[in-house]
Amino acid sequence: MKASLKVILRDTPGQLRKALEVFENVNANVISVMHVHGEKVGDEVPVEIIFGIPDREALQRMEILLRESGWKVLSIGKIVQLSRITVGIIGHIIGTKSFEEMITKVDELGANVCDFSIRMPAKNIESSALLTFESENNECTENAISEIGKLCEKYGLLLIKPVS
Amino acid sequence: MRKVWSSPNQTGELMSVRVLILGVGTVGKGVLKTILGKPEFSVCGIASSKGYIYSENGLGQEALKQMAAGKKMSDAADFKQGSAMELVKEKEYDVLIELTTTDIKNAEPAFSYMGEALVRGKHLVTSNKGPLALHFHELDSLAKKNECMMRFEATVGGAIPIFSTIRDYLADEKVGSVKGILNGTTNYILSRMFEERIPYATVLKEAQDRGIAEKDPSYDVEGIDAAAKLAIIGASVFGKKNAYSEVKRTGITHVTPEILELAAQRNYRIKLICSADSKGMEVSPRFVGLSDPLASISGTTNAVTIETGSAGPLTLVGRGAGQNETAAAVIADLVNIEKNTR
């Protein structure tokens, strides 16, 4: 997984190399290093390091090792890359609990509904809606689409999925 | 592979490949027109639902020309009333070209014609979706057992060479998935609904007036035609055993101009997409991102994207139906058989 660390270093040669010794201990692999000179105070400068690390446990070990060694850690954490998925729903959506149930279900699966747009051309005519949710991984996305599909079936709605 | 009749005649020339054509509708006439200009083939028999004409040494060119131009077969001097099965079962020929009307419920009588020809060791070319969608593996087994070639390029995507691309060009590739737009009528309707922001029923009527949709449009708009084509892909590329019944199918009848407009605002188009991989097969209206080549396919055009291991995605675009296009696919299959069996 990808993670980021923001740590305060003294702006003197060899400081970064010392900090990176911890990376070797937890099998982390540096992707990029950025000195944030705009936030420099005295001879201390924040450094942001993006790196790959095997899992959350290794990330926790890294944080403990850094703090035990006396490094000032400003932030450390997994970089979450959310993918945004939009599905279409056609049918008599309003007046049923279909949409409410969809949001609850998507939420339970760890995804997050972030947008909803609807067109209602006239009374008794089917509505057309877009439902957008954010998801951390493919499994979560597939489960969410599958559950939305089941609810569409239950309420007699047409679900339009993305092609892949 | 079983060789076609290729012994030289008295003057030392190779004899033509003898072709038996079942079905003289639009595609049949197109095939006749093209085959007349190819001396390596000779049409020895033609059959329709009403009867047949047959000559072991090949039918006269003039009679064939007239038939290709629209003259009724029953007006021919040597027309005989009888079943096409008589020809398939009892007469001599090298390749059966089966072009009769598709029946997706029981695939008959075409399935019986094809089975009988393969049992007799005759090569087979067809544009008929029903028998392949419902009985692909039975026919394929018969072809292999009797050392015959079975070619069916015209069943899916008209002139687009889907199966020959997978079979020949991608012979060393593992195909991960196939997805595409394989029904021109529904793509025309969705394209027009998007362009004009008009309801499904209005565009359907326009399509019927223009001869793009049938009077009973259910075969197209409910995704049945697309499902039959997808089943052939599923069976032949991914080895699906009960391919047609396994296809999840949703048509386009509930798609609204409003959803097309909302989708456009998010840079999507809505297309009736056929998709198949080792997990399953589905025909349904889907959102297609503008960066996908399928998003720009409009009107009656067909397109298919073949996802491969090392070659990546390969998208083929072409006319999915029409007399000349389907005939071209049939003739390409016939030429392929001729080249591989001489």
Side-chain angles (χ1 to χ4, degrees), chain A residues 39-93:
Chain A
E39 295 176 19
K40 187 176 172 182
V41 179
D43 68 341
E44 288 188 335
V45 62
V47 175
E48 190 164 359
I49 305 167
I50 308 290
F51 54 96
I53 192 162
D55 49 36
R56 283 183 188 275
E57 281 179 13
L59 191 64
Q60 281 168 357
R61 276 207 317 278
M62 174 188 268
E63 185 176 0
I64 291 166
L65 286 172
L66 284 165
R67 293 192 192 280
E68 280 176 357
S69 309
W71 299 102
K72 291 180 192 169
V73 176
L74 295 179
S75 65
I76 184 166
K78 181 187 172 190
I79 296 175
V80 178
Q81 287 175 309
L82 293 175
S83 55
R84 197 167 262 224
I85 313 297
T86 298
V87 296
I89 297 158
I90 300 170
H92 295 291
I93 302 164

Side-chain angles (χ1 to χ4, degrees), chain B residues 17 20 91 109 112 180 203 271 324:
Chain B
V17 173
L20 177 60
K91 302 291 185 184
S112 296
V203 181
K271 301 286 179 187
N324 293 338

Side-chain angles (χ1 to χ4, degrees), chain B residues 122-335:
Chain B
K122 310 299 182 189
H123 302 292
L124 172 67
V125 175
T126 186
S127 64
N128 196 329
K129 292 180 280 292
L132 292 174
L134 297 179
H135 305 290
F136 182 88
H137 289 287
E138 288 160 81
L139 293 168
D140 189 47
S141 299
L142 275 179
K144 284 175 179 148
K145 185 179 169 191
N146 295 288
E147 297 182 315
C148 300
M149 294 182 81
M150 180 170 87
R151 292 286 182 261
F152 45 90
E153 196 66 77
T155 56
V156 184
I160 305 174
I162 299 169
F163 299 109
S164 56
T165 299
I166 292 172
R167 187 184 63 237
D168 302 330
Y169 180 70
L170 299 172
D172 198 36
E173 283 280 351
K174 180 173 167 49
V175 174
S177 67
V178 177
K179 65 176 179 183
I181 296 165
L182 298 175
N183 181 272
T185 304
T186 47
N187 201 52
Y188 173 86
I189 292 172
L190 291 174
S191 302
R192 290 287 294 152
M193 284 176 72
F194 171 70
E195 287 158 7
E196 305 295 335
R197 302 289 196 265
I198 43 179
Y200 164 78
T202 310
V203 181
L204 173 63
K205 181 149 189 343
E206 177 193 278
Q208 286 170 322
D209 289 346
R210 293 189 59 188
I212 291 169
E214 302 285 337
K215 275 187 184 169
D216 173 7
S218 54
Y219 187 66
D220 290 314
V221 299
E222 289 174 10
I224 299 167
D225 173 69
K229 291 167 178 169
L230 187 61
I232 298 171
I233 292 173
S236 63
V237 180
F238 299 104
K240 299 288 179 190
K241 293 293 175 201
N242 301 303
Y244 183 69
S245 58
E246 283 179 31
V247 175
K248 287 186 201 165
R249 174 172 60 81
T250 307
I252 63 160
T253 53
H254 286 278
V255 175
T256 61
E258 292 81 24
I259 197 77
L260 289 160
E261 196 178 335
L262 282 170
Q265 288 170 3
R266 306 287 176 90
N267 292 326
Y268 291 118
R269 297 286 179 271
I270 296 177
K271 301 286 179 187
L272 185 71
I273 296 291
C274 300
S275 60
D277 58 24
S278 57
K279 288 185 204 160
M281 296 161 287
E282 182 170 348
V283 174
S284 57
R286 304 283 279 270
F287 286 146
V288 183
L290 290 187
S291 59
D292 188 320
L294 298 181
S296 60
I297 305 303
S298 62
T300 56
T301 306
N302 281 200
V304 65
T305 298
I306 303 162
E307 192 73 45
T308 64
S310 50
L314 188 67
T315 299
L316 306 170
V317 181
R319 291 182 190 152
Q323 185 187 52
N324 293 338
E325 293 79 0
T326 310
V330 169
I331 297 296
D333 278 348
L334 185 60
V335 169

Side-chain angles (χ1 to χ4, degrees), chain B residues 5-20:
Chain B
W5 185 22
S6 58
S7 56
N9 64 10
Q10 288 174 341
T11 59
E13 294 169 329
L14 282 179
M15 299 295 282
S16 303
V17 173
R18 292 167 304 169
V19 171
L20 177 60

